[in-house]
Amino acid sequence: MPAPDPAVSLRGAGRRYGERAALRDVTLDLPPGQTLVVFGPNGAGKTTLLRMLATLLRPHAGEVRVLGRSLPDDGYSVRGRIGFLGHEALLYRELSGRENLRFHARLHAVADPAARVQAVLEAVGMDARADDPVAELSRGMLQRLAVARAVLHEPELLLLDEPLANLDPAAIAQVAPLIGTGSGLTRVITSHDPVGGLVGADLVLGLKGARTQLLAPASEVGSEQITALYA
Amino acid sequence: MLTTAFALVFFYAPTDADQGIIQKIFYVHVPMAIVALCGFVAGGIFGIMHLRTRDQRWDMRSYVTIHLSIILAVGVLVTGSIWARISWGHWWVWNEPMLVVFLIVFLLYATYQPLRFSIEDREKQARYASVFAITAGAFVPLCFGAVRMAQNLTHPQAGTMTTHGPGSVTLTFLCSLTGMTLLFVTLCKYEMASKNATSKLRSLRRRLAGEDDFIPTGGRSAAPQI
Amino acid sequence: MRRTVAALLAKELALELRTGESVPAMVLFSITTYVIFHFGLNRNVIDGDLAAGVLWVTLLFAAILGINRLFVAEYEQGGFDGFLLAPVDRTALFVAKAITLFCFLCIVEVVAVPAFGILLLGPSLGQALPALLVVLLAANAGIAVVGTLVAAMAIQTRARDLMVPLLVLPLLVPVVLGASHATSPLLGQGGAGALPGDWMALLALYDLLFALIAYAVFDFLLED
């Protein structure tokens, strides 16, 4: 049986910021259901890569294909199938968690939004505080709501920028079924943790200075190689 | 090309020597205004082309056209003001649609460069500039119509002058209009060629230095760079 | 598209009710401006051309307050990203924001116009009211469309609060022109006159032209 189309496919992908390259010549294939973990120091291009895959940034060079569609031209058709968790929670501070999620559910045309929002709130353990304004919540709670927002529309591909930041071990355990290996979804994750980040990884990409320093299956990569990126 | 343009522009002076300084200004003021207005609209059209093709060269054309039209607009205001002073004794009159429209248009386009300058990302800067160029380009004729509606026309129209004046007036006017247009187009081409050369030089330097290296451009710029 | 606009509008309404940032400020500003005009012009009552001018200048500057705040929540709280990630027509954001601004203007005028009638206007407003409403609606539409477009342009620049008035005031000159000329016969000393048709036509043309342009062009402001 032929291999299925990769969920994420990059060929010489690049992105400029002004005169500088934010990302240069990245080439990789990620089969569906697998996890790509991206390591690298700050400014190496991890967030740029993630945002490009999320259709938030247009590629300036090379080819980018996500879920079988070419970006940026077919970006419209894949947006609803991608879940993005960035550095910001993307929630309106004056509204409650429930109202924010309701809004996103409507934007994504989720069927039966009220029920789905309730289900997701319970899944991340935020049901009790769902009606408080987001401004009153702690960072950990905010992160949990952000996770809820990212998976609300049942995406096929998860793009997670340091997803476990601000979460205590209990919270990490709680969101694991949604965004962890147990979810069965294709995932692209950025991480700074040379040991913990490798857990659950199938493919590892190390970026430095916007270029690919390391690209290998996770089984062949050790923590020392990751740490070397930051040297 | 440039010399021909200048020659044409000054051509009117000899044919017109007997008509007095007021008329001389007319031959500069009105063509300047017409060319500037067309320039602004052209800038808008180039903006549309830029958004449709995402080719930075259209943004360059849009920028240069608008840039030069702004300078012409200042010229229109200055010559118009002088004309008003001579003809009616005031430095400014609200009864002239042309003058009023150019004041408004100048105030609007004066924000074009600050707008460009305040957006760092090159592509974004070009896109926003094009949106501005299109909006402002559509605004110019509408504003003209609106102000004309509101004013009593005391401004001698180019049209009426040519129908009632002697043939030499029409000819001279058309000559200076042609001359002004050629001057404008020549200046546009000149500025675009100069910018092209600069950007080619920079990209060569970049390639020589190794493509990743960050070559400081000496600060941000309001001008497009290809 | 309609669904998206509805979702956005619901969110705008919830936010404005919760925070009350824009509308109360615009109302207060209008009334304060009337007071300033009273002292600045040194008149107790005004009518006709002067009244139309004062009214429209005040509404225009109050509108600028609203325009300044229009996209701030999106910009500061990552709202743009959240919207851009959704599989929706991006022009819906323009439509929703323009409708929001239009509604804000209408609400402000519900207070500001009677206040004008009480504080500064000589002739009574009663007769002029229906015609005045038509002018207000037409002008509000123009301000809403152009204001939203300019707000979206300015939000990405650094000196946003300065950029907005500088961009929006020249662009709204035809609106002020048309609205003022249309309003002045309505506020005449000898009782409300007829509504001038050609000025209304100008306003209508302006509204249509810029609505079309903004609709076509807005997408390009959002993408990256």
Side-chain angles (χ1 to χ4, degrees), chain B residues 37-222:
Chain B
L37 288 175
C38 293
F40 284 131
V41 173
I45 296 175
F46 293 149
I48 295 176
M49 292 309 299
H50 170 251
L51 290 183
R52 282 177 82 201
T53 65
R54 297 186 191 282
D55 186 351
Q56 292 289 78
R57 283 173 301 178
W58 285 113
D59 177 50
M60 176 71 79
R61 289 182 191 123
S62 178
Y63 173 80
V64 168
T65 334
I66 290 177
H67 190 199
L68 287 173
S69 294
I70 294 175
I71 297 173
L72 282 189
V74 175
V76 168
L77 288 172
V78 168
T79 53
S81 180
I82 296 173
W83 188 357
R85 174 72 178 151
I86 295 172
S87 304
W88 296 285
H90 299 284
W91 286 110
W92 182 264
V93 280
W94 284 104
N95 294 335
E96 328 291 310
M98 193 82 96
L99 224 49
V100 173
V101 168
F102 266 88
L103 183 60
I104 299 166
V105 163
F106 171 72
L107 288 171
L108 177 62
Y109 278 95
T111 56
Y112 180 67
Q113 286 210 300
L115 177 71
R116 288 198 76 120
F117 188 76
S118 61
I119 301 174
E120 286 190 31
D121 180 33
R122 228 190 318 156
E123 265 85 19
K124 195 176 242 180
Q125 185 191 99
R127 256 186 300 122
Y128 276 54
S130 292
V131 170
F132 178 96
I134 296 169
T135 311
F139 171 78
V140 165
L142 185 67
C143 188
F144 204 81
V147 172
R148 279 270 290 271
M149 249 178 95
Q151 311 290 13
N152 304 320
L153 276 94
T154 65
H155 199 115
Q157 289 213 292
T160 45
M161 291 242 34
T162 48
T163 47
H164 292 185
S168 67
V169 174
T170 321
L171 178 65
T172 323
F173 176 74
L174 285 174
C175 274
S176 68
L177 180 60
T178 319
M180 190 67 69
T181 315
L182 285 171
L183 180 64
F184 183 80
V185 170
T186 314
L187 284 172
C188 275
K189 282 194 156 35
Y190 184 71
E191 194 175 338
M192 278 197 266
S194 145
K195 285 213 157 34
N196 267 324
T198 322
S199 69
K200 280 207 172 64
L201 184 66
R202 281 227 324 285
S203 70
L204 269 171
R205 280 176 60 204
R206 209 185 313 150
R207 239 177 291 164
L208 280 174
E211 294 186 75
D212 263 358
D213 294 7
F214 178 41
I215 296 185
T217 53
R220 303 181 306 154
S221 157

Side-chain angles (χ1 to χ4, degrees), chain B residues 54 118 127-128 132 138-139, chain C residues 156-157 167 170 213 220-221 223:
Chain B
R54 297 186 191 282
S118 61
R127 256 186 300 122
Y128 276 54
F132 178 96
F139 171 78
Chain C
Q156 300 281 354
T157 69
L167 280 173
I213 290 178
F220 293 100
L221 291 177
E223 66 175 44

Side-chain angles (χ1 to χ4, degrees), chain C residues 65-197:
Chain C
L65 290 188
I67 294 170
N68 262 325
R69 300 223 51 94
L70 202 58
F71 283 99
V72 165
E74 268 67 34
Y75 185 74
E76 289 177 353
Q77 299 173 39
F80 280 126
D81 270 0
F83 177 75
L84 292 172
L85 287 168
V88 292
D89 188 346
R90 288 162 170 191
T91 315
L93 186 61
F94 170 75
V95 174
K97 287 287 181 179
I99 293 177
T100 306
L101 185 55
F102 182 81
C103 292
F104 284 178
L105 289 170
C106 291
I107 297 171
V108 168
E109 280 155 10
V110 163
V111 180
V113 173
F116 181 68
I118 296 170
L119 288 173
L120 280 178
L121 190 61
S124 133
L125 262 183
Q127 263 186 307
L129 215 44
L132 188 59
L133 258 149
V134 176
V135 182
L136 283 170
L137 288 176
N140 283 352
I143 298 174
V145 165
V146 171
T148 306
L149 189 60
V150 169
M153 277 200 266
I155 196 76
Q156 300 281 354
T157 69
R158 297 192 325 161
R160 177 203 329 143
D161 293 335
L162 297 180
M163 223 12 121
V164 162
L166 289 178
L167 280 173
V168 108
L169 285 175
L171 284 173
L172 287 179
V173 161
V175 174
V176 173
L177 194 66
S180 188
H181 278 264
T183 314
S184 60
L186 302 175
L187 304 178
Q189 189 60 273
L195 188 61

Side-chain angles (χ1 to χ4, degrees), chain A:
Chain A
M1 193 174 102
D5 275 336
V8 174
S9 175
L10 299 165
R11 293 281 177 278
R15 166 98 189 167
R16 263 180 286 112
Y17 185 76
E19 292 285 317
R20 198 163 35 89
L23 199 64
R24 257 200 88 73
D25 201 19
V26 177
T27 301
L28 61 88
D29 281 320
L30 182 66
Q34 293 199 356
T35 299
L36 165 69
V37 182
V38 185
F39 293 96
N42 291 331
K46 308 192 299 294
T47 305
T48 306
L49 175 64
L50 223 59
R51 289 179 71 86
M52 207 176 358
L53 293 175
T55 76
L56 291 174
L57 296 176
R58 317 178 106 241
H60 287 154
E63 287 170 26
V64 178
R65 292 183 69 85
V66 172
L67 297 174
R69 301 302 177 94
S70 172
L71 299 183
D73 299 323
D74 289 332
Y76 183 87
S77 56
V78 286
R79 248 168 237 146
R81 299 152 66 194
I82 299 173
F84 178 79
L85 180 63
H87 286 303
E88 292 176 48
L90 307 184
L91 303 167
Y92 288 98
R93 283 197 299 267
E94 315 314 351
L95 300 180
S96 74
R98 192 184 300 275
E99 284 169 330
N100 268 294
L101 290 178
R102 194 77 72 79
F103 170 61
H104 278 100
R106 288 178 76 175
L107 281 186
H108 283 268
V110 169
D112 196 0
R116 175 70 186 153
V117 166
Q118 180 62 26
V120 177
L121 283 170
E122 284 170 9
V124 299
M126 281 300 297
D127 187 33
R129 300 289 305 270
D131 297 298
D132 295 339
V134 162
E136 291 174 13
L137 301 178
S138 70
R139 291 260 284 263
M141 293 183 195
L142 212 61
Q143 187 77 353
R144 282 197 261 170
L145 275 180
V147 169
R149 185 197 46 74
V151 300
L152 187 63
H153 52 288
E154 294 177 289
E156 296 162 39
L157 169 67
L158 287 177
L159 303 170
L160 311 171
D161 207 342
E162 293 181 61
L164 304 181
N166 301 315
L167 291 180
D168 60 36
I172 293 175
Q174 193 149 33
V175 302
L178 294 170
I179 61 172
T181 34
S183 63
L185 303 171
T186 316
R187 308 182 304 149
V188 178
I189 308 178
T190 69
S191 175
H192 275 306
D193 185 352
V195 177
L198 285 173
V199 174
D202 295 301
L203 188 62
V204 171
L205 172 68
L207 291 175
K208 187 170 182 174
R211 282 187 175 282
T212 308
Q213 302 289 123
L214 164 67
L215 178 64
S219 48
E220 298 167 23
V221 174
S223 303
E224 344 65 57
Q225 286 166 284
I226 309 293
T227 325
L229 281 172
Y230 293 84

